[in-house]
Amino acid sequence: MSNKSKKIFLALSIVVPFLLYCVFYYSKMISNAPYKYSEFTSITLKAGLGGNYEKTFNSKTQDFQYVDVNDSLIKTKVRLNKDDLLFLHRKAAELGFWDWPEQMIGDKTGKAPRYYLEYEYQRKKKFMEIDAEYNENTKLRDAALQLVKTVDQAILDAQDRESKAK
């Protein structure tokens, strides 16, 4: 056996098993991912001061209610399309939503803005509750508030789309 064929044999005996292992390992990991968009069912967002949520939205029921500037309760239906839901799912994955703690409460007085965000899937549910006074981890707080604002903006954009369509 020549030196060239020995090197080829050695390379194939190392590289091929490694590639097969990578394909096997990562295909299992991807197929068992806990939060898949194909299993995504709904988003729930609640916002208000303290535990009093004045703004609520549920994408499954399409119910959106909020208190306007005249202290009137407004109830409407807002439908998020598949593109909106996919964008919100990806944004949550990008920001690491699945690894965040469920409670991020820093305000003891109940006067700080508080948000409740829930992503529901067929097999799992992930939620978090955060207030603007949470100071234990400011990067985490900022990422969580960014996700809340992104979801809120998607709801408002969908509401504008529907009002323009009518």
Side-chain angles (χ1 to χ4, degrees), residues 1 12 19 52 59 87 115-116 131 154 160:
M1 205 172 188
L12 288 176
L19 290 175
N52 183 20
S59 67
F87 171 73
Y115 306 96
Y116 174 87
D131 67 29
D160 287 346

Side-chain angles (χ1 to χ4, degrees), residues 65-77:
Q65 63 182 27
Y66 59 95
V67 177
D68 67 359
V69 293
N70 300 327
D71 286 337
S72 301
L73 182 65
I74 308 296
K75 293 183 179 184
T76 62
K77 295 282 188 183

Side-chain angles (χ1 to χ4, degrees), residues 71-103:
D71 286 337
S72 301
L73 182 65
I74 308 296
K75 293 183 179 184
T76 62
K77 295 282 188 183
V78 175
R79 185 182 159 276
L80 293 178
N81 59 32
K82 292 208 179 277
D83 292 336
D84 294 333
L85 294 173
L86 178 61
F87 171 73
L88 294 174
H89 171 78
R90 287 183 177 165
K91 189 67 172 179
E94 173 188 323
L95 293 173
F97 176 65
W98 322 123
D99 300 325
W100 295 349
E102 293 176 352
Q103 297 283 325

Side-chain angles (χ1 to χ4, degrees), residues 9 81 92 102 104-105 111 133:
F9 174 75
N81 59 32
E102 293 176 352
M104 293 182 272
I105 308 298
K111 295 181 181 178
E133 298 296 318

